[in-house]
Amino acid sequence: MQNLKMINQTFLLGLFILSLNSCTESIKKTSKFIYEIEESSVQLKILNGNDYLTYNTPIRVDFEWKNIEPETVSIYGAGIKLLRIKNEVTQTEINIERHHLISDTLDIKLSFELNGQKTSTYFNIPVKN
C-alpha cells in the first residue's frame, strides 16, 4: 500500500514538472521583435515559427499594431511585399535573395504616427540559408 502511494506521488510530481516545462516552452516562443512606447506597440511575427528568415523562401510575416493606426505606417526593407491590412495587422510576405543583403541580416524600418508625431524604429532579422 505504501509503495502504491509513493508511486502515485512520483507520478504526480512528474506531471507537475512536465506542466511547468510546457509553460516555459510557450514563453520561449514569444516574438523577440517588439517595439513598445507607453501604451502603443508593434510586434513582428514570423509565421513559420522561427525567429529568422530563410534566403529564397517566401515567408509570411505579420506586423501587429496596438494603439497605432496601420494606415499611418510605412514599412521599408528588401524583399517585403504587402499582402493586406486587416484590423490591426499588416500582413506581408518576405522573400530575400542572397545578393540583396551585405550581411545575413534584413533591416526593416518602420515609420508611423504616434499621438500625431512621426516615430520610427528598426527590426534586424537574421537570414539563414
Side-chain angles (χ1 to χ4, degrees):
M1 186 74 162
Q2 194 164 0
N3 283 342
L4 184 59
K5 184 176 180 184
M6 190 169 194
I7 290 171
N8 282 341
Q9 288 175 340
T10 305
F11 178 74
L12 289 174
L13 180 62
L15 281 177
F16 178 72
I17 290 171
L18 285 173
S19 295
L20 285 177
N21 187 41
S22 68
C23 290
T24 59
E25 286 299 315
S26 67
I27 290 170
K28 289 179 191 174
K29 300 235 186 262
T30 303
S31 174
K32 67 179 184 178
F33 305 111
I34 189 164
Y35 173 78
E36 295 178 297
I37 185 167
E38 299 172 9
E39 290 105 34
S40 302
S41 66
V42 57
Q43 183 173 13
L44 179 148
K45 290 188 176 181
I46 302 172
L47 298 186
N48 67 2
N50 296 325
D51 59 353
Y52 60 89
L53 299 170
T54 306
Y55 283 110
N56 301 313
T57 305
I59 298 173
R60 261 287 302 281
V61 175
D62 285 355
F63 295 85
E64 295 183 359
W65 309 96
K66 179 180 173 191
N67 297 323
I68 298 171
E69 290 297 320
E71 292 79 23
T72 69
V73 173
S74 295
I75 301 172
Y76 306 98
I80 300 173
K81 177 177 152 184
L82 178 66
L83 298 176
R84 71 180 186 166
I85 299 171
K86 183 176 181 183
N87 300 325
E88 296 186 346
V89 177
T90 301
Q91 298 174 350
T92 66
E93 181 180 85
I94 300 178
N95 187 7
I96 299 297
E97 294 183 27
R98 188 146 197 54
H99 66 275
H100 283 153
L101 301 180
I102 296 171
S103 67
D104 290 332
T105 303
L106 173 64
D107 299 321
I108 298 176
K109 180 182 179 186
L110 304 172
S111 296
F112 50 90
E113 283 187 29
L114 189 59
N115 300 323
Q117 293 190 331
K118 277 287 193 187
T119 304
S120 64
T121 189
Y122 293 87
F123 288 124
N124 302 313
I125 316 297
V127 184
K128 298 182 180 184
N129 285 321

